[in-house]
Amino acid sequence: MTNHHQPARGKPRVALVTCGELADLDPDDRLVLGPLAARGITAEPVVWDDPAADWAAYDLAVLRSPWDYAPRRDEFVSWAQRVPHLANPADVVRWNTDKRYLDQLSSAGVPTVPTTWVAPGEPWRLPADTGEYVIKPAVSAGSQDTGRYDLADPEHRELAVAHVRRLSAAGRVTMVQPYLAAVDTAGETALLFLAGEQGLEFSHAIRKGPMLAGPDLGVDGLYRPEEITARTASLEQLAVARKTLATVPGGTDRLLYARVDVIPGPDGQSVLVELELTEPSLFLMHAAGAADRLADAIRTRLTRQT
């Protein structure tokens, strides 16, 4: 029997899933198009909520930049469940698009940033101390609706309360975390993993500079600009990343990519900020050979589906 999803009809076709505002892909993602073509794979951007998209016509749909999903997360998860050959899979999308997964990772022994969750309509009091805190929704992308508050500042205290109320009124779960001072010095480290013959393999790392200058006063667009540079991952950071990945429900063999974001905690040891399995920037332009490694990962996934 011929598998109609595989190359009896010609070159494998891959959809690189994006959103309407980035219909031609993020510039970083476009770097994989050439390496895929060199491997005999036809790839094209497809907007996730385009009603004309024929997802069954693709051998693989790779989530890349559907960064407008946050306000419609239920719709996005439902869409993911209908797409054949989705990478990463739909059950991973459901789990990873609500940051309450951090509680599960923390319970499994992964060092994480301490987090307070505020459900819609639930009363919330400002922390008693005067430190800095980050407030953001549990479902978000690209630092949307995220603010940094210095509770020693009376105005910031008022704005923090207003931020939580605003998210609550919109029916969104709020997360409140202490701001880690190391962000302003060491920065955040993102460790990128791509699928290989032996499962997920470390590819490269980057440093992200501080992004949050103050309270959330409303940001236009999908994401805030980031200050990105290449970074060599330490053994300690890699150990935390691998411990994190070991807790992913269903295992990592099904994953095409993963990004583990860590920051030094108060004691200098790395703590997990986020585990990005749905639509992370992969920062291909910041590591030699990264686009080729992603193309190889996609080719490996296609081969396993035959």
Side-chain angles (χ1 to χ4, degrees):
M1 179 180 295
T2 300
N3 182 341
H4 72 282
H5 285 300
Q6 283 297 323
R9 62 166 195 239
K11 292 182 179 180
R13 294 183 68 199
V14 171
L16 299 177
V17 182
T18 186
C19 60
E21 192 167 331
L22 294 168
D24 291 325
L25 298 174
D26 179 76
D28 194 69
D29 287 327
R30 286 199 290 270
L31 295 177
V32 78
L33 294 173
L36 285 173
R39 288 158 176 78
I41 299 168
T42 299
E44 58 196 67
V46 186
V47 175
W48 75 271
D49 58 352
D50 180 356
D54 180 9
W55 299 105
Y58 295 97
D59 302 283
L60 187 67
V62 179
L63 287 162
R64 290 310 319 123
S65 48
W67 293 336
D68 61 353
Y69 78 85
R72 297 181 288 158
R73 186 247 179 180
D74 289 345
E75 178 185 345
F76 182 66
V77 169
S78 177
W79 163 84
Q81 292 171 330
R82 299 193 301 271
V83 177
H85 307 304
L86 184 67
N88 288 332
D91 62 304
V92 172
V93 170
R94 175 182 292 278
W95 178 76
N96 189 239
T97 50
D98 186 327
K99 292 181 176 62
R100 283 176 287 185
Y101 68 77
L102 290 169
D103 273 357
Q104 182 176 337
L105 299 184
S106 179
S107 296
V110 176
T112 61
V113 181
T115 305
T116 298
W117 308 94
V118 186
E122 184 178 50
W124 176 72
R125 290 185 178 181
L126 286 163
D129 63 42
T130 57
E132 289 191 280
Y133 285 81
V134 173
I135 294 175
K136 58 185 174 181
V139 177
S140 66
S143 296
Q144 298 173 40
D145 303 305
T146 300
R148 172 182 173 181
Y149 300 88
D150 181 354
L151 299 190
D153 183 331
E155 182 181 2
H156 276 221
R157 294 179 71 87
E158 291 180 5
L159 289 171
V161 171
H163 191 168
V164 175
R165 286 177 178 165
R166 184 167 66 251
L167 293 176
S168 180
R172 306 175 78 181
V173 174
T174 301
M175 51 194 299
V176 182
Q177 298 175 318
Y179 184 79
L180 299 179
V183 174
D184 297 327
T185 53
E188 182 176 333
T189 300
L191 299 98
L192 286 303
F193 293 79
L194 299 172
E197 294 296 336
Q198 305 301 319
L200 277 185
E201 299 174 358
F202 176 68
S203 171
H204 58 285
I206 59 93
R207 176 193 183 274
K208 290 197 286 183
M211 295 175 59
L212 300 178
D216 175 43
L217 301 176
V219 176
D220 294 329
L222 291 178
Y223 52 88
R224 289 183 168 103
E226 296 179 313
E227 176 191 325
I228 306 298
T229 54
R231 166 164 278 176
T232 299
S234 70
L235 292 178
E236 186 262 349
Q237 290 168 336
L238 286 166
V240 170
R242 291 188 171 111
K243 185 172 186 176
T244 300
L245 292 171
T247 68
V248 174
T252 58
D253 288 347
R254 304 178 303 148
L255 303 181
L256 178 68
Y257 53 69
R259 197 182 92 197
V260 184
D261 296 344
V262 299
I263 296 174
D267 63 356
Q269 297 300 300
S270 294
V271 296
L272 177 72
V273 181
E274 289 190 30
L275 170 61
E276 298 270 15
L277 304 179
T278 303
E279 33 61 45
S281 294
L282 297 177
F283 307 114
L284 302 178
M285 67 178 62
H286 294 278
D292 285 290
R293 290 192 290 275
L294 177 58
D296 285 338
I298 291 171
R299 180 173 59 183
T300 296
R301 179 55 51 89
L302 288 166
T303 301
R304 289 177 180 174
Q305 289 178 186
T306 57

